[in-house]
Amino acid sequence: MRILFFTDTHIRGNNPANRIDDYMNSLELKIKEIIQLVIDLDVDFILHGGDIFDRPDISISVVNRFVKLFNQFKAPLYFISGNHDIYGHNPDTIYRTTLSLLDIVDVVNMVNREDIFILEKDDLKVQLTGQPYVYDIDGNEKDKYYYPPNIEKHIDYSIHMVHGLLVDKPFIKGVPYTLVEDIQNTPADITLSGHYHSGFKTININGKYFINPGSIARISNTTKEMRRKPKVILLELNDDINIKEIYLKSAKPGIEILDRSKLEEAGYQSERIYEFQQGINSAINFEKLDINEVLMEVSNAENVEESVKKEALRRISEIQMKGLDDN
């Protein structure tokens, strides 16, 4: 069985502030290349790690453009929702989003927390589960989110997709994250992660694989992003697990698509902090409300009851959805 995994496409209708090329055209070329890879490599299933869209209410014209591409995939697509696919860091709003619509019309298969999909080819059975983004995914209950809800009997392999800040080494102080070593006892054979755009080298701990190839979209203009080459992952599952990284040929060098002038003028001492700030601010730009700062403050607030956090996030998501047609 061959499975192709990629993540964080961040489909949007306008150019991120740091891009000097045509972002939509560049993203379209990458997806077309992935479509061809699926054909050339005889891929059986396609997985996406979340943040398909850059905001939950992408315009119809942009959706039409990329749905036509998704329909060209010659294998089933399975997605989890990321923080940019929902309103207010609130997974309960998924039914009001563009991603949910694509699931309803069978363009994609959305994997929710309690879903268990069995992928089959010949005599091989692979369990697929997923954890969409939730505001406390990197809080104190990591096992609850980073471990699959259940492992079915008579399964050859288990894959769990997660949209959380899973990293290979300590991250920025004060920002919730999950280290790979913290979840090394997962019952899943393979943990696939999105959200952290930089990604990390595939990690194998006692036969358990932890994989994040990084976003196929480059939005921030840090030195690391200038050097990073977008890639996808090919999983070959037979009697054992084989993992192959495939760099996208259509992805141009960072120097040709990213503008560093603002960063250099600002003279930030820590590009890593700036990269994180860009990751928060670049996606959902509600002009009248700096919504991302509010979301992060609420999600990461300490000494605040969970019920209070959830109510605050619920109200924020309602503000974001205000004016949408209920029909």
Side-chain angles (χ1 to χ4, degrees):
M1 182 184 295
R2 291 185 175 183
I3 299 173
L4 190 139
F5 173 68
F6 64 106
T7 188
D8 290 80
T9 40
H10 287 276
I11 295 169
R12 56 190 288 167
N14 59 350
N15 256 34
N18 303 307
R19 294 287 295 237
I20 56 178
D21 63 336
D22 187 314
Y23 178 81
M24 275 218 298
N25 283 343
S26 294
L27 187 55
E28 190 174 57
L29 288 174
K30 292 173 190 172
I31 295 177
K32 285 181 177 178
E33 183 177 349
I34 295 172
I35 290 170
Q36 191 59 48
L37 283 172
V38 169
I39 296 172
D40 295 343
L41 299 172
D42 195 21
V43 169
D44 301 295
F45 302 96
I46 306 162
L47 310 182
H48 190 296
D51 281 351
I52 296 89
F53 298 105
D54 207 37
R55 56 185 294 157
D57 56 350
I58 288 291
S59 71
I60 293 175
S61 62
V62 174
V63 173
N64 284 343
R65 180 173 176 177
F66 284 91
V67 164
K68 290 177 181 177
L69 290 177
F70 290 158
N71 281 330
Q72 294 178 36
F73 278 112
K74 301 301 182 182
L77 290 86
Y78 293 85
F79 290 71
I80 55 172
S81 58
N83 52 306
H84 295 233
D85 295 312
I86 56 178
Y87 292 97
H89 289 191
N90 183 355
D92 293 338
T93 67
I94 187 66
Y95 72 97
R96 299 289 300 273
T97 68
T98 303
L99 179 59
S100 178
L101 176 61
L102 298 191
D103 178 49
I104 291 171
V105 298
D106 293 327
V107 173
V108 303
N109 300 287
M110 191 159 58
V111 184
N112 295 306
R113 170 61 187 172
E114 300 303 324
D115 291 337
I116 295 178
F117 290 89
I118 305 300
L119 311 182
E120 297 186 55
K121 183 181 180 182
D122 299 328
D123 295 327
L124 194 70
K125 292 185 178 181
V126 176
Q127 173 179 303
L128 174 64
T129 54
Q131 175 57 60
Y133 180 86
V134 292
Y135 77 93
D136 59 342
I137 191 168
D138 295 297
N140 295 325
E141 297 182 288
K142 301 182 190 300
D143 294 3
K144 174 182 175 181
Y145 298 121
Y146 281 94
Y147 289 8
N150 188 33
I151 299 292
E152 297 286 307
K153 295 180 179 179
H154 311 299
I155 293 299
D156 296 293
Y157 298 106
S158 170
I159 296 176
H160 190 55
M161 292 195 294
V162 181
H163 195 86
L165 194 55
L166 182 65
V167 292
D168 56 337
K169 54 189 174 183
F171 199 61
I172 302 168
K173 185 178 180 180
V175 176
Y177 61 87
T178 298
L179 285 171
V180 168
E181 63 186 51
D182 293 337
I183 61 166
Q184 61 180 300
N185 293 322
T186 175
D189 297 295
I190 302 172
T191 300
L192 301 175
S193 178
H195 194 44
Y196 180 45
H197 283 202
S198 296
F200 51 80
K201 292 286 186 181
T202 295
I203 297 172
N204 181 349
I205 301 178
N206 298 324
K208 307 285 185 178
Y209 292 89
F210 303 87
I211 304 170
N212 181 353
S215 168
I216 71 165
R218 285 168 292 178
I219 296 175
S220 71
N221 55 3
T222 60
T223 302
K224 191 171 186 178
E225 281 296 90
M226 294 288 285
R227 295 194 303 261
R228 188 174 68 86
K229 298 178 181 179
K231 62 187 176 183
V232 300
I233 295 292
L234 179 67
L235 302 173
E236 294 186 281
L237 307 179
N238 294 295
D239 294 333
D240 52 12
I241 299 173
N242 292 300
I243 300 167
K244 183 179 180 181
E245 298 180 344
I246 303 174
Y247 290 94
L248 296 178
K249 297 177 181 178
S250 57
K252 296 180 180 179
I255 194 171
E256 295 182 19
I257 63 164
L258 295 171
D259 178 15
R260 278 182 58 85
S261 59
K262 292 182 181 179
L263 180 60
E264 291 168 354
E265 289 173 5
Y268 281 89
Q269 293 182 349
S270 175
E271 285 197 2
R272 201 174 186 204
I273 294 177
Y274 184 65
E275 177 184 10
F276 179 72
Q277 291 173 334
Q278 286 185 328
I280 297 171
N281 297 327
S282 62
I284 308 176
N285 183 21
F286 289 87
E287 296 180 354
K288 295 183 179 179
L289 180 63
D290 194 358
I291 199 71
N292 289 292
E293 289 189 13
V294 176
L295 289 171
M296 291 305 298
E297 288 292 333
V298 173
S299 297
N300 300 334
E302 297 181 0
N303 302 319
V304 176
E305 292 183 10
E306 289 300 302
S307 60
V308 175
K309 287 185 181 181
K310 290 180 179 179
E311 177 61 18
L313 292 171
R314 184 189 67 79
R315 295 187 182 188
I316 292 171
S317 63
E318 285 185 353
I319 291 172
Q320 289 188 343
M321 291 189 296
K322 188 176 181 180
L324 293 178
D325 187 1
D326 288 329
N327 297 321

